[in-house]
């Protein structure tokens, strides 16, 4: 009988130890789940920030293209005005020469 009682006590102790271990592992598991959720939120936030920055880069590229176009338009307008002025100068010179020939 004493042997059976001892075995029963050993089984009860091992069961208590297993229950304590199970509870400790459950707590650790809960903490790890919270950490995973936190990391997922941080990852999503970072992903959103990356997308926002990519959109800003695209917008800046478009703005730069438009700015470059404005510079090109100004240069073209200046060339057109220069050319018109030269044509007007040539017409005046031709008119002057025609006037001298008369």
């Amino acid at each position: 009988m004493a042997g059976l009682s001892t075995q029963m006590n050993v089984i009860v102790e091992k069961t208590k130890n297993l229950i304590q271990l199970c509870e400790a592992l459950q707590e650790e598991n809960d903490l790890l789940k919270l950490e995973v959720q936190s990391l997922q939120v941080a990852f999503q936030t970072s992903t959103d920030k990356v997308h926002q920055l990519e959109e800003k880069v695209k917008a800046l590229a478009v703005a730069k293209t438009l700015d470059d176009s404005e510079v090109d338009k100004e240069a073209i307008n200046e060339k057109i005005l220069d050319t018109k002025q030269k044509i007007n100068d040539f017409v005046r010179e031709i008119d002057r020469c025609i006037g001298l020939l008369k």
Side-chain angles (χ1 to χ4, degrees), residues 22-41:
C22 183
E23 288 172 353
L25 290 173
Q26 187 63 44
E27 287 178 20
E28 183 181 0
N29 190 28
D30 291 342
L31 290 174
L32 290 172
K33 284 180 181 179
L34 287 174
E35 185 178 357
V36 165
Q37 287 177 345
S38 173
L39 290 172
Q40 286 174 336
V41 168

Side-chain angles (χ1 to χ4, degrees), residues 5-100:
S5 178
T6 304
Q7 287 178 346
M8 194 64 147
N9 286 338
V10 169
I11 291 173
V12 168
E13 280 301 314
K14 286 185 178 184
T15 304
K16 286 180 183 178
N17 288 340
L18 286 174
I19 290 172
Q20 288 175 349
L21 180 61
C22 183
E23 288 172 353
L25 290 173
Q26 187 63 44
E27 287 178 20
E28 183 181 0
N29 190 28
D30 291 342
L31 290 174
L32 290 172
K33 284 180 181 179
L34 287 174
E35 185 178 357
V36 165
Q37 287 177 345
S38 173
L39 290 172
Q40 286 174 336
V41 168
F43 177 75
Q44 187 60 44
T45 303
S46 296
T47 302
D48 292 345
K49 184 69 174 177
V50 166
H51 288 299
Q52 289 174 355
L53 291 173
E54 286 173 345
E55 290 300 317
K56 283 184 180 181
V57 167
K58 287 178 186 177
L60 287 172
V62 169
K64 184 172 180 352
T65 301
L66 291 175
D67 190 41
D68 290 346
S69 296
E70 291 293 325
V71 171
D72 291 344
K73 285 180 185 177
E74 289 176 14
I76 290 170
N77 286 339
E78 286 178 19
K79 287 181 183 180
I80 289 172
L81 289 175
D82 254 3
T83 303
K84 284 183 180 179
Q85 184 64 40
K86 286 180 183 178
I87 290 172
N88 286 337
D89 289 345
F90 285 134
V91 168
R92 278 194 214 103
E93 185 66 26
I94 291 170
D95 285 344
R96 191 180 67 77
C97 289
I98 289 174
L100 290 174

